Amino acid sequence: MTDTHCPYCALQCGITLEPNQPEHSTEPVSLKGRDFETNGGALCRKGYSAAKLLDHPERLQTPLLRQPDGSLAPIDWEQALDLVASKALGIRAESGADALAVFGSGSLTNEKAYQLGKFARLALGTSRIDYNGRFCMSSAAAGTNRAFGLDRGLPFPLADLDGAGMILMLGSNVADTMPPFVRHLTGARENGGLIVVDPRRSATAKLCADNAGWHLQPTPATDLPLLLGLAHVLVAESLADTSYLAARTNGFGSLKASLASWWPERTARITGVPAEQIRHTARALAQAASEAKAGGKPVYILTGRGIEQHSNGTDTVTAAINLALLLGLPGTLAGGYGTITGQGNGQGGREHGQKCDQLPGYRKITDLGHRAHVARVWGVEPEAIPGPGLPAVELFDALGTPRGPRMMLIHGANPVISAPDASRVASSLTKLDFLVVCDFFLSETAAQADLVLPVLQWAEEEGTMTNLEGRILRRRAALTAPENARSELWIFSQLAQRLDAPGCFSPDAQEVFEELKLASAGGLSDYSGVNWDDLDAGAAIYWPCPAGTDVKAQPGIRNGTPRLFLEGFAHEDQRAVLVPVYFQPAPRMDKSSVSLVTGRLLEHYQSGAQTRRVPELAKAAPEPLLEIHPATALAHQIAQGQKVVISNERGEVTARALLSSDARLDTVFLPFHYPDSGTANLLTEAKVDPHSKMPEFKHAHVSLSAVKEEQ
Ligand SMILES: Nc1nc2c(c(=O)[nH]1)N[C@H]1C(S)=C(S)[C@@H](COP(=O)(O)OP(=O)(O)OC[C@H]3O[C@@H](n4cnc5c(=O)[nH]c(N)nc54)[C@H](O)[C@@H]3O)O[C@H]1N2
Ligand SMILES: Nc1nc2c(c(=O)[nH]1)N[C@H]1C(S)=C(S)[C@@H](COP(=O)(O)OP(=O)(O)OC[C@H]3O[C@@H](n4cnc5c(=O)[nH]c(N)nc54)[C@H](O)[C@@H]3O)O[C@H]1N2
Ligand code: SF4
Ligand SMILES: [Mo]
């Protein structure tokens, strides 16, 4: 029996794996939910079926090299590694180290994420590394860094939500994306205090029914004015916690001025949320917050990708944080603000140096002191570490341009499906001289590679992950990997040797973890007091956990820093910053267009490279469906189940209509999990947020036309 965690999302539900005897089962292991704090033994459909991919017939079994006839053919590992090294050395000699690029992932363990950042900077010598968390948590990170000086998705344990009196959830659909999370909403629902903000009546919005709370259904991409409107009411009706603001924050004066024009009637015109509902929500939040501070139930504001994945995502997150600060919640036991991290290691993945401007321990690549610390741990001179590179959208755009990368290595992402304006990304990848993709399946991106390297899956590797609470967890191996699959740590170590890299590249996860601890020591996300053996013994450890922390592996004891900011925020003066933010209205839609919002289905994970290969999930959600209001469908002469072409200036997607009054009249919804003509990202725009460089994933204007099918 091996205790580990689900491979997919950041809830990192506890699971137990038990190897099966081949004579008793066709699957290599049995997978069961385990009683862990985030999931209480429950799993979602994806988690239950995750073991089905371990010995999947399409699992990559050997390195594959592109042949002159265009096919991919097996080669051995020595040849594959020699080829990567010789291509990298050749291109670097001709065009400089920045002609090499790396794209990483929030699916990688902490050790792989750390080693990938180091490999890019030291072994390849390039500044050009970024990762798919740019598409996920970057706006939330930019917003929380600006306000609190530190970015940890939930600055409190998830279980703190259980006793909440009120929770305002903006742009998050946990009922589909993290089903076991819903148990943590029970307290708020019983109190009639779950408020969901989503342009769709999502599965999570439906949890507000029966007096469990209420649903605000704004026009897509108008959360920023909605939040400004709520904050306006707090200030105008003297409901803000002025003693908290005076004691713990800076900037109230300028924030107040910036809110002046957001009276509810004006906010209602822009957001479509009635003025009375805005007033009612603001007053209810203020009432609940003041009760919380008098010893009542805590109040939380939580955000998800629905408000973050916009070209104003950072400002919208900031407005949500401002609202929480006006209510006097962050850094108290009366509640707080949190963002719900997405990918399995979406938290750890954003701490250890995969970001183009970042070094391990959340250090800045431009800070001389930070560079010197990491250089010491790496055993190099600080000058050996390149400067900042390019964020994801710019990185993909630069591929194959005169001074842009000529070779790219991708670990744990499928941008041909998941990047904005996906056809542009697919065509940029073709401009490379050499594309290397590490994966365990031939994803749509791997299918474009010159060389594909087969790697281990979650149940075959050791390592650590950091969940949505900032809690560090052990991922454990329960199975031996297919003979010819290799760990990415081994791949980095082999390539580093061939590239004659300075520093040490251990193939062993625990050794890499020990080094990561040193590199993070003294940084914001300090892991230096986290011991592998304590993690193995089940200790609950939340970073920062500096060296010397007294860690106890006893049930009910939380170690490290389960709750951040209780003593002060991470800015030098320990105060949070209220940053005034402003709304720029989007260009008007022409009359024949509708708003497209994109997101997730319960059954599929991300680009679908994994879950589309699980038969029961593929059967449950085999093709993209366009969620559309019956009246809108009628106006476009679209019938239930009919094929629809959804198009704009960037591309065209085909999907069948799913008529549903859960949609707004002016808005349709597409999931982004599907390939080919079903790829929602053919329609999304690569316009990015100025602070986080997050693209506009959640909102585009599209036209609809029904396809007349032959009878
Ligand atoms: N089943 C499943 N679960 C997953 C994943 C998956 O792919 N599939 N991925 C994991 C990852 S990486 C992530 S990041 C999380 C994401 O988890 P969520 O943030 O919950 O997921 P999304 O479906 O992307 O978006 C949430 C909601 O935002 C709404 N939305 C869209 N536009 C707007 C808007 O303008 N304003 C507001 N207020 N809402 C809007 C959508 O209607 C949707 O219901 O899920 C994780 N869990
Ligand atoms: N339109 C639209 N687009 C979106 C979003 C949206 O809401 N709307 N959401 C965005 C978000 S939040 C995210 S997180 C991205 C995610 O999108 P992607 O970055 O494409 O993520 P995945 O589909 O998880 O891709 C992971 C790939 O890596 C492989 N893999 C998994 N684990 C490992 C590993 O340990 N090592 C290696 N080498 N490979 C591994 C899987 O088999 C899969 O092929 O999509 C973004 N794109
Ligand atoms: S909620 Fe997330 S971690 Fe839990 S079983 Fe589902 S995919 Fe896995
Ligand atoms: Mo994500």
Side-chain angles (χ1 to χ4, degrees), residues 9 46 136-137 170-174 176-178 197-200 202 218-223 304-307 309-310 340-343 597-606 669 672-673 698:
C9 84
K46 300 186 304 302
C136 183
M137 299 307 298
L170 300 123
S172 165
N173 182 19
V174 285
D176 280 337
T177 54
M178 300 186 178
V197 181
D198 197 310
R200 298 188 301 145
S202 64
T219 307
T222 64
D223 301 274
R305 301 309 82 75
I307 71 151
Q309 291 173 320
H310 293 280
I340 302 170
T341 297
Q343 296 184 84
V597 305
T598 66
R600 294 161 163 83
L601 303 177
L602 174 68
E603 293 81 4
H604 286 299
Y605 190 66
Q606 317 275 59
F669 172 83
F672 79 101
H673 311 296
K698 280 291 188 274

Side-chain angles (χ1 to χ4, degrees), residues 422-446:
S423 58
R424 190 159 115 185
V425 170
S427 98
S428 294
L429 290 172
T430 64
K431 295 184 196 141
L432 289 167
D433 293 10
F434 203 64
L435 173 63
V436 183
V437 175
C438 286
D439 209 308
F440 29 77
F441 290 115
L442 195 68
S443 69
E444 288 69 18
T445 305

Side-chain angles (χ1 to χ4, degrees), residues 327-362:
L327 292 166
L329 301 173
T332 74
L333 294 174
Y337 164 83
T339 170
I340 302 170
T341 297
Q343 296 184 84
N345 199 26
Q347 180 63 57
R350 67 188 195 263
E351 301 163 7
H352 308 305
Q354 295 188 82
K355 248 179 161 167
C356 68
D357 55 356
Q358 182 204 57
L359 289 173
Y362 260 140

Side-chain angles (χ1 to χ4, degrees), residues 14 53 56 82 131 167 182 198 203 206 229 278 296 357 401 427 444 481 500 562 569 588 632 644 684 706:
L53 294 175
H56 193 279
D82 288 347
Y131 82 123
I167 299 178
V182 171
D198 197 310
K206 288 178 187 159
I278 296 170
D357 55 356
T401 61
S427 98
E444 288 69 18
D500 207 10
F569 295 98
R588 272 189 171 276
T632 313
V644 182
T684 53

